[in-house]
Amino acid sequence: MDIHFEEGMLSPSAADMRPEPPNSLDLNDTHPQRIKLTAPNINLSLDQSEGSVLSDDNLDSPDEIDINVDELDTPDEADSFEYTGHEDLNKDSGQESESIPEYTAEEEREDNRLWRTVVIGEQEQRIDMKVIEPYRRVISHGGYYGDGLNAIIVFAACFLPDSSRADYHYVMENLFLYVISTLELMVAEDYMIVYLNGATPRRKMPGLGWMKKCYQMIDRRLRKNLKSFIIVHPSWFIRTILAVTRPFISSKFSSKIKYVSSLSELSGLIPMDCIQIPESIIKLDEELREASEAAKTSCLYNDPELSSTEKDIDLKLKEKA
């Protein structure tokens, strides 16, 4: 049977005359081109039959495949591929990689100032200085009296925190440690405490437990060297507290307590040059003095009705104190 081949198709004779694919590179051509090499058929069976990868014929490289590596066309620098995806990503997003900020020496010093380590009663305590910062004026040094280093320690109750604070107990605990540690630093020999009670509302007055704890935590040396405890502008509330705490304190300490009704009376007992009196206490002292003078004047003119009015004013001012 005759088989007709269409135009463009190779006849069987033409297929037989097709040249075999080259197995070497023509390196003498003036215009070298890249030529694909066809791989020989490989039998992947594991026996050593003909055509197998384990066959003896395939163990040695054929001599006719002679390639000079130095003459091969290799890619130049322009053809090299560099991955720049990370840089392009930063450029597209417009963001630069952020580094972790370093902990500077100034920040470290500032952080150390937020806490103070003290030793009270042979125990190490830490004070939160940040939380008590607004109340540090509650205790101050008022100079010296007499001969030697007899210190005057001023305690202004008007600078105490308000009991309505949510963290009131935490603040008072740290303030207590601050007062005790500061007292130990200020006192070298004998000393006295001037307690400014005036212009302090009831909500700022320290509780009985806090005052009892202060007395118990004071070092024995400090309790022994305390010569006087002066209370300026005493109110009925503070008198009551001291009366209640009397069973918890020694009779020697009770004998050191003195009540002073005015700043002028205080100036007759100790030097006032270095004592910082808050403005609210100075204003209260002036009001009390004016009320007292008005009461004396009313008594002088024998006006019992006016005298009664002035006594009421004096009583209200003392309750305010």
Side-chain angles (χ1 to χ4, degrees):
M1 185 173 78
D2 296 335
I3 300 175
H4 298 280
F5 294 92
E6 297 180 0
E7 185 179 357
M9 295 183 62
L10 298 176
S11 63
S13 59
D16 296 337
M17 296 176 62
R18 183 177 59 185
E20 295 182 358
N23 54 12
S24 64
L25 295 178
D26 186 7
L27 302 179
N28 297 324
D29 194 359
T30 56
H31 299 284
Q33 297 180 356
R34 299 178 182 177
I35 301 174
K36 288 185 178 181
L37 301 179
T38 57
N41 296 327
I42 299 177
N43 185 5
L44 297 179
S45 61
L46 298 179
D47 55 359
Q48 294 188 359
S49 60
E50 183 179 358
S52 172
V53 292
L54 297 179
S55 176
D56 295 336
D57 297 336
N58 294 327
L59 293 178
D60 297 329
S61 300
D63 297 336
E64 60 269 22
I65 302 179
D66 186 11
I67 301 176
N68 188 353
V69 180
D70 296 334
E71 298 295 335
L72 291 178
D73 185 15
T74 58
D76 54 11
E77 295 180 357
D79 298 330
S80 63
F81 177 74
E82 296 181 0
Y83 177 71
T84 59
H86 182 68
E87 297 178 359
D88 295 340
L89 181 62
N90 289 339
K91 292 180 181 179
D92 295 339
S93 61
Q95 297 179 354
E96 296 181 357
S97 58
E98 297 181 359
S99 59
I100 300 176
E102 295 183 358
Y103 195 53
T104 63
E106 180 61 27
E107 290 176 341
E108 184 176 0
R109 287 192 296 268
E110 182 65 24
D111 185 61
N112 291 334
R113 283 195 293 266
L114 298 180
W115 293 89
R116 176 185 296 180
T117 303
V118 297
V119 178
I120 300 176
E122 298 181 355
Q123 292 184 356
E124 189 175 275
Q125 306 281 353
R126 295 192 70 195
I127 304 175
D128 188 346
M129 299 300 294
K130 183 177 181 180
V131 76
I132 67 170
E133 180 64 29
Y135 314 110
R136 292 177 61 181
R137 292 183 295 172
V138 72
I139 186 171
S140 59
H141 200 293
Y144 299 93
Y145 71 97
D147 299 331
L149 299 176
N150 302 319
I152 300 174
I153 307 300
V154 181
F155 189 96
C158 60
F159 293 133
L160 287 171
D162 198 310
S163 59
S164 62
R165 286 185 57 133
D167 57 347
Y168 175 75
H169 295 289
Y170 177 76
V171 175
M172 289 297 289
E173 181 70 21
N174 283 272
L175 190 60
F176 160 76
L177 297 174
Y178 174 75
V179 169
I180 298 299
S181 59
T182 304
L183 190 62
E184 292 182 349
L185 293 175
M186 289 181 176
V187 174
E189 297 179 1
D190 295 341
Y191 71 103
M192 69 168 56
I193 294 179
V194 178
Y195 185 90
L196 302 177
N197 183 72
T200 305
R202 286 283 299 274
R203 64 180 183 274
K204 287 190 175 184
M205 291 295 298
L208 177 61
W210 192 83
M211 298 184 67
K212 178 183 176 182
K213 187 177 181 180
C214 281
Y215 175 77
Q216 292 175 343
M217 289 294 292
I218 291 177
D219 186 77
R220 184 177 180 275
R221 176 185 68 88
L222 295 177
R223 281 186 285 180
K224 181 180 179 181
N225 292 349
L226 178 62
K227 299 305 177 182
S228 182
F229 190 88
I230 302 175
I231 301 176
V232 184
H233 300 137
S235 62
W236 173 85
F237 180 74
I238 194 66
R239 289 175 183 268
T240 303
I241 287 182
L242 290 176
V244 173
T245 57
R246 193 174 295 274
F248 304 103
I249 59 179
S250 64
S251 57
K252 291 183 178 180
F253 183 80
S254 299
S255 63
K256 298 175 183 179
I257 298 176
K258 297 180 181 179
Y259 296 106
V260 174
S261 58
S262 65
L263 295 178
S264 60
E265 186 178 352
L266 178 65
S267 62
L269 299 176
I270 59 174
M272 301 285 291
D273 299 337
C274 299
I275 297 180
Q276 300 294 328
I277 305 296
E279 290 295 331
S280 58
I281 295 180
I282 295 176
K283 182 180 180 180
L284 173 65
D285 188 75
E286 293 176 353
E287 293 176 352
L288 292 175
R289 179 174 52 81
E290 291 174 359
S292 178
E293 291 177 354
K296 291 179 181 179
T297 303
S298 64
C299 291
L300 181 63
Y301 285 98
N302 296 323
D303 190 346
E305 185 176 348
L306 181 60
S307 176
S308 176
T309 303
E310 295 297 337
K311 286 181 180 180
D312 292 339
I313 294 175
D314 184 51
L315 180 60
K316 290 181 181 179
L317 289 174
K318 288 185 178 180
E319 290 177 354
K320 182 181 177 181

